[in-house]
Amino acid sequence: MEVLISTAIGFLVACGIYLMLRARTMDVVIGLTLLSYGVNLFLFASGRLVSNAAALISPDAAAYADPLPQALVLTAIVIGFGMTAFLVVLAIRAFGDLGNDHVDGKAGK
Amino acid sequence: MTLLLIVLIPLLGALLVPVAGARGRMAAALMAGALTATALGLLLSLAPQVFAGEVLVSSWAWMADFGLYFSFRLDGLGLLFALLILGIGLLVILYATYYLSPKDSMSKFFAFMMLFMGAMLGVVLSENLILLLIFWELTSLTSFLLVSFWRHRADARQGARIALAITGGGGLCLLAGILLLGEIVGSYELSVVLASADLIQSHDLFAPALILILLGAFTKSAQFPFHFWLPHAMAAPTPVSAYLHSATMVKAGVFLLARMHPALSGGDLWFYLVTTAGLVTLVFAAYVALFRHDLKGLLAYSTISHLGLITLLFGFGTPLAAVAGVFHIINHATFKASLFMAAGIIDHEAGTRDMRRLNGLFKYMPYTAMLAMVAAAAMAGVPLLNGFLSKEMFFVETLALQRLDDWAWLIPALATLGGVFAVAYSLRFIHDVFFNGEPKNLPKVPHEPPRWMKIPVEVLVTLCLLVGIFPAFTVGPLLATAAAGVLQAPLPEYSLAIWHGFNIALMMSFVALVGGILFYLLRHRLFALHARLLPGEFGAKQIFDKMIIGLLDISRWLTHLLENGSLQRYMALLVGAAVTVGLYAAAQHGAINFSMAGSSIPFNGVAIAILIGLILAGVGTVLLHRHRLPALVMLGVVGLCLSLLFVYFSAPDLALTQLSVEVVTIILLLLALHFMPQEAAADSGNARRWRDAALAGGAGIGVAGLTWAVLTSPFETLSGFYLEQSVPGGGGSNVVNVILVDFRGFDTFGEITVLAIAAIGIHALLQNLVIKPNDPGRYGWAPAKPPLLLEVVSRPLLPLALMVALYLMLRGHNAPGGGFIAGLVVGIALILQYLASGVEWTQARLRINYFKVIAVGLILSLLTGVASWVVGYPFMTTTFTYLYWPVVGKFEVASAMVFDLGVFLTVVGITMVILAELGKLSGPLAPRPVPNKEESR
């Protein structure tokens, strides 16, 4: 299973970076979202993955999922949303002011 | 302590002078004068001990581990230099008070000058070599400020820049040299270093250390080929030239030679390096001085030449030569400072410094002329003046030198030649300026300066005469003490008499005088010859300028290479660098173990399906990225798969958060798409796409490998503490939520603050935005009303959604949920109203200022933290208790829930600010130009 999880994270990162290397702002925003998914999953996985483990404290729980990476990733998801929102509004503003959506603020070749 | 005060008083003065300057120009000058006089008084109070042969040292540890002590030392050499700095400083302050025009800020000038004075005193009184270097660099910086004092003048700015580049560069060499010296000796304290000559000179690192230290000294003392900064620094106000460029700063280099004399001199390397630099400078600069038409230019080259003479003497490395060097330092400081002041008076009263126009001034200012002529005669080395005595000693030393065998005649011969030039340029200074016909086209009629302006010149010229006639009575004790300070050993036998009988040295003086007069008489032919042979400017300045231009070109080329304005290229460089470093690290630390043995998570059909869905949706997003709407749908699929994955791997809180954030994000991106192009042409070529794919693939493989390595390596978590303490310490069984609002509450507070800042940033970005919706109608962005069905269903959904949110929030401490998730749910419910019923309708009914909501949320969270202070616990300590409510039963109340409420409100506010602000842009309230409206106008 680890192979598949690693592969999935690798794919998310690769897709994210490829889009971030594109010349249009909207692509970069989408790429950044994909990249942050990959990073969040990586952080989550660093606490090791268990299924059917207890998430809440209870006397008869056999094993718990590691709560620390979860707390970390939860805040990362919300912060990531804030960043995406800021970036997308920045892209809109740049488009409105410059009249094109090139990352360097100039019309394409 | 007194020693420390001597250095600190001028440095403090740099602050006090502007304060006094607020009360008027005179107050600034008086303050500067009073402080300098105080420091001088303190110095004189210590002088008797130094004359008695004591070395005063006071020391405080600063960074002892690095060998840096705040330690000062007063011996004969330090005393001499401190006397020159403070004594001539006092005279220059008096002179400058009358020199500066009402347009120049007196307090600024004197503040800079006090700063320089303190730095210079620090150089000559430091016991610690690193401390000395700090003050050394401070003199370079303050001299930059002083030279560029008239900053409206381009030549002043350029002169200051050149001076800073040369002396600052030399300072860096000196730093390296001193560090090497400290490595060799094991201490930076002068007392230790000066006593370790044998250790230093036999060490392997001696040669580099010596060369670096000499570079520092030569640049500061304007030795060839670094001499050219000094003439350019003449753009400074004349008091600065009189102070820095005759008596003090340029003497710092020869001071260093004198200071390090016991430790570094004596060997062949020292002899050849220092004498060559000194000899070349002495003769070359004396020759050039003759051809300068600018009064201060002549004096500048003369100063360079005399510094060469002093350097040459220290290069000999013999005790007697060192005595002569110290003597010439004293004499040069007195006559050159007075000459600069005289030049300043002439410039001030006649309006020009060009010797081709300044003629016959004797008639207009006879008194100043007399003073200047005495000083110039001292510069030429005329008997009965101080310059004669030290020059005579210099000639004797050149003859006594035992080193060059067959070439022994060379140094005396060149020294005499230097003397010839010195007489010739001194004669030119006297004859061209004060006699030789009438002045030509002067801007104003010259006259004598104010009474007080002449006093400093009078004092210095009197000293020249007194020392010249009664050397043993006047300068004798000071010279002996200072020379002993240089040598750190008993003094050799020498005599300070005026008359030593007929000897070769006297003949050399005679040859120099007669030769100089002849040379001057032939000057017209020489000028013509000089102009023919060396037309225009020549020399080091041009090379320096070329080097600077070359450096600028290289930096421009490099900047353009790395920073051409293309963000795509930066991104590619960044990713490429990360991949390269990752590969290097992987190669260094062994390959990742790819056997399946490390695998421990069992395969499961559901999980495989989710992960494959995740990969396919991600790839789909990339493939569809130029068609934005389908790409966003694919992005939504990725987010949902992720959310399912969280469910599968026992993270319900994450799944809820991811789900709600995903919804909000997609709505946001769809709204954005309303304004942005929805289709994009392929604007990168195949090569670029393959390059990017390779970079992205490399990064992906790297991250995948890293994840694999992490997942298959042994695991040790620190979560045990949180799991144990969650219920007893935090009062909640949902550990993730307890970590967020309790254990790591401060982090969460920081995080919601960041979100609030992002919301404010978004609000600011959307102000006054004028935008035309892109290609309307293409994807059916019709301005039609939303479907009625949605409108009808959405209204009863709102209270239900609010109820769910409240439930999620209240149970958050003990079950999946909490402020973040509840906030997002409320946000989505409100957004649904906007979507279903339109912005206008919703806006009319939801009159909420979301910024206030954010503020209340933040304050609530903060107050929860602060409240624990009030009851005497550390910041953000929480407490909880159980209440028994009728019907509900046992109910937990935790202070962390108030914190969570703050988080909730903040998240609601932020979501609404972001989405509603963006939604308003597209709604009928938006200030956008609608096409048909324009037509109707």
Side-chain angles (χ1 to χ4, degrees):
Chain A
M1 205 58 195
E2 278 91 343
V3 176
L4 201 55
I5 292 162
S6 309
T7 314
I9 293 175
F11 262 100
L12 285 179
V13 169
C15 293
I17 286 178
Y18 181 80
L19 286 181
M20 284 169 73
L21 288 166
R22 303 272 58 77
R24 302 288 155 185
T25 48
M26 201 65 190
D27 297 339
V28 175
V29 174
I30 297 174
L32 197 70
T33 313
L34 279 178
L35 181 68
S36 57
Y37 288 158
V39 172
N40 286 345
L41 197 52
F42 172 76
L43 285 178
F44 176 59
S46 71
R48 302 302 182 273
L49 303 171
V50 280
S51 51
N52 291 321
L56 306 175
I57 302 286
S58 76
D60 41 53
Y64 292 106
D66 196 337
L68 204 56
Q70 290 193 23
L72 204 65
V73 172
L74 200 152
T75 54
I77 292 171
V78 181
I79 281 273
F81 164 65
M83 193 172 66
T84 309
F86 186 81
L87 210 61
V88 84
V89 171
L90 195 63
I92 293 173
R93 179 85 212 195
F95 184 62
D97 286 1
L98 303 168
N100 68 76
D101 65 338
H102 196 279
V103 284
D104 298 336
K106 57 188 177 205
K109 291 155 212 161
Chain B
M1 196 63 208
T2 319
L3 209 47
L4 180 66
L5 275 182
I6 294 172
V7 179
L8 285 188
I9 285 176
L11 290 178
L12 203 66
L15 296 175
L16 292 179
V17 165
V19 173
R23 297 177 171 275
R25 296 166 62 78
M26 235 24 202
L30 280 176
M31 177 58 95
L35 289 170
T36 311
T38 314
L40 188 60
L42 288 174
L43 182 71
L44 290 175
S45 77
L46 295 177
Q49 287 167 272
V50 180
F51 278 112
E54 278 183 58
V55 176
L56 307 175
V57 173
S58 37
S59 179
W60 294 265
W62 186 357
M63 284 190 269
D65 290 347
F66 295 97
L68 178 53
Y69 289 85
F70 206 65
S71 53
F72 293 93
R73 165 200 188 91
L74 186 67
D75 60 6
L77 182 64
L79 177 70
L80 167 66
F81 268 89
L83 277 177
L84 286 177
I85 293 162
L86 288 168
I88 295 185
L90 204 55
L91 295 177
V92 168
I93 289 170
L94 176 60
Y95 178 80
T97 310
Y98 293 92
Y99 179 87
L100 291 176
S101 82
K103 275 179 288 180
D104 302 323
S105 162
M106 197 80 103
S107 51
K108 198 161 101 183
F109 182 84
F110 284 124
F112 289 165
M113 202 167 131
M114 297 308 279
L115 205 57
F116 171 79
M117 187 185 281
M120 201 61 215
L121 285 168
V123 169
V124 300
L125 296 180
S126 285
E127 155 80 355
N128 186 285
L129 280 172
I130 300 180
L131 187 66
L132 184 149
L133 186 98
I134 293 171
F135 283 119
W136 180 283
E137 293 290 36
L138 198 56
T139 62
S140 294
L141 292 175
T142 45
S143 90
F144 174 82
L145 294 173
L146 282 167
V147 172
S148 62
F149 182 72
W150 285 326
R151 57 182 167 199
H152 54 275
R153 283 174 41 177
D155 59 337
R157 295 196 302 268
Q158 193 199 25
R161 226 169 26 233
I162 296 177
L164 184 66
I166 300 290
T167 58
L172 290 179
C173 293
L174 181 61
L175 170 64
I178 282 176
L179 292 179
L180 285 179
L181 200 62
E183 280 298 303
I184 296 171
V185 180
S187 165
Y188 292 103
E189 299 298 296
L190 268 175
S191 322
V192 184
V193 171
L194 294 185
S196 326
D198 293 337
L199 173 68
I200 295 169
Q201 301 202 9
S202 59
H203 199 277
D204 290 342
L205 288 173
F206 173 62
L210 177 66
I211 290 170
L212 288 165
I213 292 174
L214 287 181
L215 277 174
F218 290 169
T219 48
K220 202 78 162 179
S221 274
Q223 295 298 292
F224 185 85
F226 308 110
H227 63 282
F228 59 95
W229 68 263
L230 186 57
H232 288 276
M234 290 298 129
T238 300
V240 173
S241 305
Y243 193 39
L244 271 65
H245 305 137
S246 71
T248 55
M249 194 181 91
V250 291
K251 292 275 167 59
V254 288
F255 166 81
L256 192 70
L257 293 180
R259 184 83 283 178
M260 305 310 286
H261 198 267
L264 303 179
S265 75
D268 273 351
L269 189 63
W270 167 280
F271 173 78
Y272 285 109
L273 286 176
V274 181
T275 47
T276 310
L279 194 60
V280 172
T281 311
L282 162 67
V283 179
F284 166 77
Y287 171 78
V288 176
L290 181 60
F291 298 98
R292 307 309 288 190
H293 299 303
D294 175 18
L295 210 51
K296 275 175 83 179
L298 186 150
L299 290 178
Y301 273 100
S302 153
T303 302
I304 297 172
S305 168
H306 281 275
L307 291 167
L309 192 157
I310 298 167
T311 304
L312 180 59
L313 278 169
F314 284 120
F316 290 168
T318 60
L320 272 172
V323 175
V326 173
F327 194 21
H328 201 66
I329 288 175
I330 303 172
N331 294 337
H332 178 253
T334 46
F335 68 67
K336 194 49 71 63
S338 59
L339 280 172
F340 267 116
M341 290 181 187
I345 290 176
I346 293 165
D347 185 15
H348 207 253
E349 307 305 338
T352 179
R353 301 195 312 245
D354 190 334
M355 277 185 283
R356 285 165 298 189
R357 291 159 71 191
L358 290 168
N359 293 320
L361 287 191
F362 189 79
K363 268 191 295 190
Y364 300 94
M365 37 170 73
Y367 189 71
T368 309
M370 283 306 298
L371 292 174
M373 283 192 283
V374 174
M379 174 164 77
V382 173
L384 292 183
L385 292 164
N386 59 354
F388 170 73
L389 294 175
S390 47
K391 220 165 213 181
E392 189 88 345
M393 281 173 99
F394 163 63
F395 286 147
V396 170
E397 289 313 308
T398 61
L399 292 168
L401 194 69
Q402 303 285 335
R403 281 191 106 118
L404 289 172
D405 302 331
D406 287 350
W407 294 87
W409 55 271
L410 184 71
I411 295 184
L414 287 175
T416 315
L417 185 63
V420 169
F421 292 143
V423 171
Y425 68 66
S426 304
L427 204 55
R428 181 169 184 217
F429 183 92
I430 297 171
H431 182 254
D432 240 8
V433 175
F434 297 114
F435 305 101
N436 199 19
E438 282 295 307
K440 295 170 194 142
N441 306 324
L442 290 189
K444 44 187 172 184
V445 180
H447 57 82
E448 288 283 349
R451 183 75 203 91
W452 289 96
M453 209 168 167
K454 280 184 288 194
I455 287 185
V457 192
E458 286 166 355
V459 171
L460 290 169
V461 169
T462 311
L463 282 176
C464 289
L465 279 165
L466 284 177
V467 170
I469 300 171
F470 311 108
F473 295 106
T474 48
V475 81
L478 181 61
L479 176 60
T481 314
V486 172
L487 297 171
Q488 302 284 317
L491 282 177
E493 286 274 324
Y494 63 90
S495 139
L496 273 181
I498 306 168
W499 178 251
H500 289 108
F502 287 105
N503 54 22
I504 308 178
L506 190 70
M507 285 306 296
M508 287 164 75
S509 286
F510 182 72
V511 169
L513 267 176
V514 175
I517 294 169
L518 282 175
F519 210 80
Y520 182 68
L521 291 177
L522 295 171
R523 68 187 181 283
H524 294 299
R525 272 186 225 166
L526 284 170
F527 279 17
L529 188 70
H530 181 83
R532 207 171 65 230
L533 290 179
L534 299 163
E537 280 287 315
F538 65 98
K541 161 77 164 58
Q542 277 60 41
I543 299 171
F544 177 81
D545 283 348
K546 284 219 175 68
M547 274 165 56
I548 294 289
I549 292 169
L551 265 179
L552 282 175
D553 285 344
I554 292 174
S555 1
R556 254 187 229 116
W557 170 78
L558 194 65
T559 310
H560 189 74
L561 193 74
L562 294 173
E563 196 189 326
N564 63 347
S566 162
L567 293 176
Q568 277 175 288
R569 175 180 291 196
Y570 305 161
M571 192 76 208
L573 286 175
L574 207 67
V575 174
V579 170
T580 314
V581 171
L583 275 179
Y584 176 76
Q588 286 290 302
H589 298 284
I592 298 160
N593 174 21
F594 279 110
S595 80
M596 292 305 246
S599 178
S600 62
I601 309 171
F603 278 95
N604 174 288
V606 176
I608 291 173
I610 297 172
L611 282 168
I612 288 177
L614 193 69
I615 292 171
L616 290 179
V619 174
T621 313
V622 171
L623 293 179
L624 291 169
H625 77 89
R626 286 193 281 116
H627 314 283
R628 300 275 157 66
L629 190 61
L632 284 186
V633 173
M634 279 296 169
L635 188 66
V637 174
V638 178
L640 291 179
C641 288
L642 203 58
S643 174
L644 288 175
L645 206 61
F646 287 139
V647 173
Y648 179 77
F649 285 118
S650 328
D653 278 283
L654 284 191
L656 277 172
T657 314
Q658 177 65 44
L659 191 65
S660 38
V661 163
E662 193 55 39
V663 174
V664 179
T665 306
I666 296 296
I667 294 175
L668 174 74
L669 291 178
L670 285 173
L671 269 175
L673 212 53
H674 184 49
F675 305 102
M676 306 281 289
Q678 288 152 33
E679 298 279 332
D683 50 1
S684 30
N686 273 331
R688 167 67 67 89
R689 278 209 289 273
W690 280 111
R691 186 203 74 178
D692 291 349
L695 278 175
I701 291 168
V703 173
L706 186 65
T707 315
W708 168 263
V710 168
L711 285 177
T712 53
S713 55
F715 179 52
E716 197 178 326
T717 177
L718 40 80
S719 298
F721 167 82
Y722 297 107
L723 289 168
E724 277 165 27
Q725 288 296 318
S726 181
V727 174
S733 51
N734 182 4
V735 193
V736 176
N737 184 268
V738 174
I739 291 175
L740 284 178
V741 299
D742 193 337
F743 293 128
R744 310 292 308 161
F746 198 41
D747 293 354
T748 310
F749 180 65
E751 191 205 1
I752 55 176
T753 312
V754 171
L755 281 178
I757 293 169
I760 292 168
I762 287 168
H763 176 73
L765 276 175
L766 291 177
Q767 294 302 301
N768 306 319
L769 176 63
V770 178
I771 197 161
K772 293 186 189 106
N774 202 265
D775 47 353
R778 186 151 184 186
Y779 275 98
W781 295 113
K785 268 180 76 81
L788 184 65
L789 194 62
L790 183 62
E791 204 179 321
V792 170
V793 172
S794 71
R795 290 194 192 157
L797 216 54
L798 181 64
L800 287 176
L802 291 180
M803 186 73 117
V804 169
L806 186 67
Y807 173 63
L808 281 174
M809 166 123 184
L810 285 179
R811 74 170 202 168
H813 223 46
N814 290 302
F820 276 117
I821 299 163
L824 288 165
V825 169
V826 170
I828 294 169
L830 291 175
I831 288 298
L832 186 64
Q833 303 306 308
Y834 280 91
L835 288 178
S837 312
V839 173
E840 208 166 31
W841 185 91
T842 320
Q843 200 81 8
R845 284 155 187 83
L846 264 179
R847 300 186 173 278
I848 302 170
N849 181 342
Y850 294 109
F851 284 104
K852 277 189 187 153
V853 176
I854 297 177
V856 170
L858 280 178
I859 290 169
L860 216 53
S861 302
L862 185 66
L863 283 182
T864 326
V866 174
S868 53
W869 271 343
V870 177
V871 287
Y873 287 98
F875 187 56
M876 291 220 165
T877 311
T878 58
T879 181
F880 61 93
T881 183
Y882 295 93
L883 295 175
Y884 289 91
W885 282 8
V887 187
V888 180
K890 184 180 163 187
F891 187 79
E892 184 198 347
V893 179
S895 70
M897 288 174 79
V898 183
F899 182 83
D900 217 10
L901 182 67
V903 174
F904 165 78
L905 288 176
T906 315
V907 173
V908 173
I910 289 158
T911 317
M912 293 314 294
V913 165
I914 293 171
L915 291 178
E917 291 262 341
L918 207 51
K920 262 188 265 173
L921 279 180
S922 59
L925 294 176
R928 67 178 162 130
V930 178
N932 55 10
K933 218 183 242 173
E934 262 171 72
E935 280 161 28
S936 66
R937 233 176 253 161

